[in-house]
Amino acid sequence: MTTSEESYYYPNRMGRIFLIAMNDIIGVHGVNATLNLAGVPDLVNNYPPNNLKLGFKFEHLAAIQETMDDVFGSRGGRVLALRTGRETFKYALKDFMPVLGIADLSFRPLHLGIKLKIGLGVFAETFNKFTDQIVRLDEEESRHLWIIERCPVCWQRETTDPCCHLAVGLLKESLNWVSNGREFRVEEIECIATGNSACVIAIYKQPIF
Ligand SMILES: [Zn+2]
């Protein structure tokens, strides 16, 4: 990883949720080993406090993801990051939904396409409002594009393949929630770590099931 003078942040609460979710997936020893290897030993048994202060650095999140790929291999790291992303959303739902005003979205009698649109809009707004991550949405006939212009997951990384699996997992689970249990095909088609100008995640409008 290269160094930069600038630092960008997630709120402490998001860092905390992410580490708790990671704990659920790889266990406390796995998390501690990863944090040590990632060069953030200060976080071992010392997760960020549960507040919205911008205190969880993008470079730390990226270093943790990179370490997961190093330790488990790119395939294993990908699977674990996807699962961690999904688990992270479950906690985020409890902590952030009350603030967002869409807690009942999945129960509203709306067309699935409209729910997706509302959900994605609110999720993007949440990142833009509470974090230094920058997200915008675009739409094609068959898919939505979730375009991350400043991405914490691959921050300052260089990879041969798109590597923001955590973001993909988070989106998959959020869409599952919005749609009351449907699964969508979600894939990262461009990634800053591979040299693109943004991380672009394609969300296919037609659910898989
Ligand atoms: Zn990225």
Side-chain angles (χ1 to χ4, degrees):
M1 291 179 69
T2 51
T3 52
S4 162
E5 287 163 26
E6 256 177 319
S7 278
Y8 293 110
Y9 298 89
Y10 262 174
N12 285 323
R13 180 178 294 171
M14 279 193 186
R16 181 182 182 83
I17 287 173
F18 160 67
L19 290 169
I20 291 171
M22 208 173 141
N23 235 297
D24 290 352
I25 304 301
I26 63 171
V28 64
H29 298 299
V31 173
N32 289 350
T34 304
L35 294 174
N36 279 316
L37 284 169
V40 284
D42 292 357
L43 288 172
V44 172
N45 298 321
N46 180 37
Y47 295 173
N50 192 5
N51 63 41
L52 290 175
K53 196 169 158 264
L54 290 171
F56 193 70
K57 283 187 178 180
F58 279 19
E59 58 231 59
H60 291 169
L61 184 68
I64 292 167
Q65 293 304 301
E66 187 169 42
T67 302
M68 297 276 281
D69 286 347
D70 289 346
V71 170
F72 297 100
S74 57
R75 184 179 295 218
R78 175 175 173 274
V79 171
L80 293 173
L82 282 170
R83 289 177 58 195
T84 303
R86 296 195 80 132
E87 191 74 9
T88 299
F89 180 78
K90 292 181 193 163
Y91 287 107
L93 192 59
K94 279 182 230 151
D95 275 2
F96 282 93
M97 264 340 123
V99 201
L100 303 180
I102 56 162
D104 65 335
L105 178 61
S106 60
F107 300 109
R108 289 188 209 161
L110 295 170
H111 185 272
L112 181 61
I114 304 290
K115 283 189 188 181
L116 278 195
K117 254 187 122 110
I118 295 175
L120 287 170
V122 172
F123 298 141
E125 196 184 304
T126 306
F127 282 107
N128 291 333
K129 187 171 167 190
F130 290 100
T131 81
D132 286 334
Q133 179 174 325
I134 300 174
V135 184
R136 67 185 174 85
L137 288 162
D138 203 350
E139 191 174 350
E140 297 172 344
E141 197 177 333
S142 64
R143 52 192 199 175
H144 292 282
L145 299 179
W146 174 271
I147 301 162
I148 313 171
E149 295 180 333
R150 189 192 287 145
C151 178
V153 184
C154 64
W155 186 248
Q156 293 176 340
R157 289 186 67 185
E158 284 177 26
T159 57
T160 46
D161 297 308
C163 64
C164 304
H165 316 302
L166 185 76
V168 172
L170 192 77
L171 276 172
K172 268 182 163 292
E173 191 63 28
S174 68
L175 297 169
N176 180 281
W177 173 75
V178 159
S179 65
N180 244 327
R182 314 294 287 269
E183 273 299 311
F184 293 85
R185 184 173 158 209
V186 179
E187 60 187 32
E188 189 178 24
I189 53 175
E190 289 183 18
C191 180
I192 297 168
T194 65
N196 295 118
S197 60
C199 296
V200 180
I201 298 176
I203 296 153
Y204 289 79
K205 294 177 183 176
Q206 191 64 37
I208 303 168
F209 57 82

